[in-house]
Amino acid sequence: RWRYIPYGAYCPIHKPPVAPGAPPGFTPCGGVANWAWHLLLPSLTFAVLFAALYVRVLRTTLIDVLDEPYIATARAKGASEPRVLLRHALRNALRPILTMTGMEAGMAVSALLYIEVVFGIPGLGRLSLTAFSGDALMR
């Protein structure tokens, strides 16, 4: 209701031509900025679906990795704490995240199908919905 973020329409990157009967000053939806603005809410929805699980796994893996001897060695050599976390700990803690990403690729595709349908984005979600509901056979 507040209309701060567009929630139900898709805006293409290319600008469609203005119709001959359009009012003066009418600018059709299009362009990179409008396209990104219209995809903000679907992108946030997709990110929220997976963020909690990945953050939890990353936290537990980092707790395990920070007890390893090579972390103590890096600290003993005088590496700063951000360097120890980013270069030594996080690099080894991302392996389970990479494995989870590969295993959840199918779930991500099905989540994207739902997001396409809910937010009105043209794509495989709308196509599969019409195929599964049988509307394509009735036309």
Side-chain angles (χ1 to χ4, degrees):
R1 293 181 183 176
W2 291 346
R3 302 194 192 276
Y4 289 126
I5 297 176
Y7 58 88
Y10 178 71
C11 186
I13 288 181
H14 61 85
K15 293 189 179 201
V18 178
F26 172 76
T27 56
C29 179
V32 176
N34 281 335
W35 172 76
W37 184 245
H38 278 78
L39 287 181
L40 177 70
L41 200 56
S43 301
L44 287 175
T45 304
F46 184 71
V48 166
L49 289 174
F50 295 100
L53 180 63
Y54 284 121
V55 168
R56 185 173 178 185
V57 169
L58 182 63
R59 178 187 177 275
T60 58
T61 308
L62 268 174
I63 289 172
D64 291 340
V65 167
L66 287 175
D67 290 335
E68 294 293 325
Y70 58 86
I71 300 294
T73 304
R75 287 182 178 142
K77 287 183 176 183
S80 65
E81 197 62 27
R83 183 173 176 92
V84 168
L85 286 175
L86 291 175
R87 299 277 296 181
H88 299 282
L90 190 61
R91 181 179 290 176
N92 292 309
L94 286 178
R95 290 180 183 157
I97 299 293
L98 183 64
T99 305
M100 284 176 50
T101 304
M103 291 172 35
E104 292 182 351
M107 191 168 94
V109 169
S110 64
L112 285 174
L113 294 177
Y114 284 115
I115 289 172
E116 282 181 7
V117 170
V118 167
F119 289 104
I121 300 171
L124 289 177
R126 177 102 29 217
L127 185 64
S128 62
L129 183 66
T130 57
F132 291 144
S133 66
D135 288 343
L137 297 176
M138 295 181 191
R139 293 181 187 171

